[in-house]
Amino acid sequence: MSPPVRFQTSRPVLAGKELEYVADAVRTGWISGQGSYITDFESAVSRYLHLDGGIAVSSGTAALHLALAALGAGPGMDVIVPSFTYVACANAVTYCRATPVFADCDRTTRNLTRESIEASITPNTRGVLLVHLFGLPAPVEDVRRFCDEKGLWLIEDCAQCFGGTAADRFAGQFGDMTVFSFYGNKIISTGEGGMVFARDTERRGLIRCLRNQGLDPTRHHWHPYLGFNYRMTNLAAAIGCGQMEMADYHIQERRRVAARYRMNLLHLQQKRLLMLPVNPPSVCSVYWLYSFVLTAGGEREKERVRDIVLEEHGIQTRPFYIPLHLLPAHRRARTFPQAEFLGEHGIVLPTYSGLSDEEIDEISEATANVVLRVFS
Ligand SMILES: *Cc1c(COP(=O)(O)O)cnc(C)c1O
């Protein structure tokens, strides 16, 4: 018999006025895809991140799909996507009938680099989908310069990097398009939700139209485009408004939790048993989920560590992504050694606002002991 789960990997923390705002939306009957919480949430996120014209949508995946559609992604076009990321990235490209061409990541940052992107360029490459994974901004200045040199567009996927900075600017300020997700385990959540930012103001109008079934906002029942129902509800946006009032808190909490895990687990890195997340100079991670990568063993040893910390200590962990080129829907013959290494060796630890120092110490100690036991 295993003990009950004592620490979930992730959970939303609704510690502000979320309930008050949702109750207000219910009381006034504004529960659907229109209402003042939607526009307030769009303004709050835009203001916080120093970006213009955020467009709230029903998910991060919808945000990616609309960003790609508004850039004209379509058949015969290649889009560079990391192999090591969440599946939504490759799915959204495929929804547009464009082709995701995978690129490998750097083992220490887990993000794409200019060099890895360059190694995946084809004659049909039109753009790059750059993901800031686990809250760490990718080398976005380098990649922006590269895209400008090659005439490629750049989409930043900030789903895991709300509030992260590169060169003293928020991640999200470099792309032609930038997307966020507000899924329940993200730094800011609306339950399900997302947001798109477009640098180009005409494309903003197109995205607003595509979000709402391609409807012309000035003429009833006139749909000049094939659009989607990707509206965010006013209920979800009400939660988002409560969350945004606490955005500083949620970001500081992620950083506090990460610093404490790092301090507690550093001795295992010094013994070369695992690698902790890095934070290169000039970027500032928000540590969406804290994690580590075992340096030895393989899939089996990693799963043993995860099983034991769950069964003996009630600590829920998560393995890293299976690289997308190994999934049936996106299978490729090419290998991506860094993505595969991370997929086999990575473990995500419980990370959320309010996880106390004592709890972090307990999780760290239990995990460290199990790693030492499995690898001794
Ligand atoms: C969560 C996430 C998404 C998709 O967001 P949903 O809101 O779940 O559709 C996209 N990209 C990355 C990197 C994510 O982490």
Side-chain angles (χ1 to χ4, degrees):
M1 269 288 284
S2 10
V5 172
R6 296 177 51 231
F7 301 103
Q8 295 167 281
T9 313
S10 173
R11 68 174 191 216
V13 174
L14 308 169
K17 292 189 177 164
E18 290 87 349
L19 186 58
E20 183 184 319
Y21 294 158
V22 169
D24 177 57
V26 170
R27 215 178 293 116
T28 57
W30 291 91
I31 60 169
S32 202
Q34 287 181 56
S36 58
Y37 285 113
I38 299 170
T39 44
D40 286 352
F41 182 55
E42 288 173 338
S43 307
V45 175
S46 304
R47 210 178 320 117
Y48 192 89
L49 297 169
H50 306 168
L51 284 163
D52 289 325
I55 301 165
V57 294
S58 52
S59 71
T61 309
L64 280 169
H65 188 185
L66 292 179
L68 286 154
L71 287 165
M77 300 180 190
D78 291 346
V79 181
I80 293 184
V81 175
S83 176
F84 186 65
T85 184
Y86 184 52
V87 69
C89 300
N91 286 354
V93 173
T94 309
Y95 299 159
C96 296
R97 300 168 194 268
T99 307
V101 173
F102 295 120
D104 208 354
C105 56
D106 178 86
R107 187 181 292 207
T108 60
T109 66
R110 308 154 184 182
N111 282 324
L112 296 185
T113 61
R114 178 188 168 124
E115 292 69 33
S116 76
I117 291 169
E118 219 159 355
S120 291
I121 288 280
T122 69
N124 298 324
T125 303
R126 295 298 176 84
V128 175
L129 175 48
L130 184 67
V131 184
H132 305 295
L133 222 55
F134 292 109
L136 179 70
V140 64
E141 281 187 292
D142 277 2
V143 174
R144 177 76 256 183
R145 220 172 296 122
F146 176 75
C147 288
D148 288 342
E149 285 163 25
K150 303 280 177 187
L152 307 174
W153 40 253
L154 173 64
I155 301 177
E156 286 183 81
D157 182 338
C158 293
Q160 305 182 1
C161 196
F162 189 101
T165 59
D168 296 321
R169 289 160 68 188
F170 282 116
Q173 295 193 356
F174 302 83
D176 298 288
M177 296 276 175
T178 289
V179 303
F180 289 88
S181 164
F182 305 115
Y183 182 65
N185 67 6
K186 301 296 158 74
I187 295 174
I188 295 294
S189 180
T190 61
E192 297 276 0
M195 200 169 284
V196 197
F197 289 89
R199 181 172 288 194
D200 179 80
T201 50
E202 263 172 53
R203 289 204 176 105
R204 288 179 203 164
L206 177 59
I207 291 169
R208 284 187 178 279
C209 176
L210 293 176
R211 167 178 74 169
N212 192 27
Q213 298 289 18
L215 179 70
D216 179 343
T218 65
R219 188 175 166 197
H220 273 294
H221 302 305
W222 180 243
H223 302 263
Y225 302 103
L226 176 70
F228 313 92
N229 176 357
Y230 280 165
R231 296 180 298 264
M232 177 180 275
T233 67
N234 201 49
L235 282 176
I239 298 176
C241 287
Q243 290 269 288
M244 281 308 297
E245 291 172 357
M246 306 280 285
D248 287 343
Y249 165 78
H250 290 299
I251 291 167
Q252 280 163 19
E253 281 293 275
R254 284 321 218 255
R255 290 186 169 136
R256 175 186 61 81
V257 169
R260 189 132 191 131
Y261 271 132
R262 180 177 174 79
M263 178 181 83
N264 289 343
L265 296 172
L266 204 53
H267 66 285
L268 292 184
Q269 178 165 273
Q270 282 153 356
K271 292 195 183 79
R272 299 185 192 282
L273 284 167
L274 50 75
M275 295 184 293
L276 299 173
V278 296
N279 190 109
S282 95
V283 302
C284 205
S285 178
V286 278
Y287 299 98
W288 170 51
L289 292 175
Y290 201 77
S291 63
F292 60 84
V293 177
L294 295 165
T295 48
E299 186 69 31
R300 276 193 39 207
E301 288 72 17
K302 176 194 68 178
E303 285 306 308
R304 268 196 68 206
V305 170
R306 293 190 54 242
D307 287 346
I308 299 173
V309 295
L310 180 63
E311 278 163 23
E312 294 184 6
H313 303 280
I315 299 166
Q316 195 181 56
T317 62
R318 207 133 13 106
F320 277 17
Y321 300 116
I322 297 171
L324 303 186
H325 68 278
L326 301 177
L327 299 180
H330 301 293
R331 176 121 28 216
R332 300 288 189 276
R334 220 179 128 184
T335 60
F336 298 92
Q338 306 309 328
E340 287 166 30
F341 183 87
L342 292 175
E344 272 178 26
H345 294 85
I347 295 181
V348 170
L349 292 172
T351 313
Y352 44 86
S353 301
L355 190 66
S356 73
D357 286 350
E358 294 70 30
E359 291 173 323
I360 298 165
D361 295 351
E362 188 190 333
I363 296 166
S364 308
E365 197 189 331
T367 306
N369 287 336
V370 173
V371 169
L372 285 166
R373 203 199 313 168
V374 169
F375 289 94
S376 65

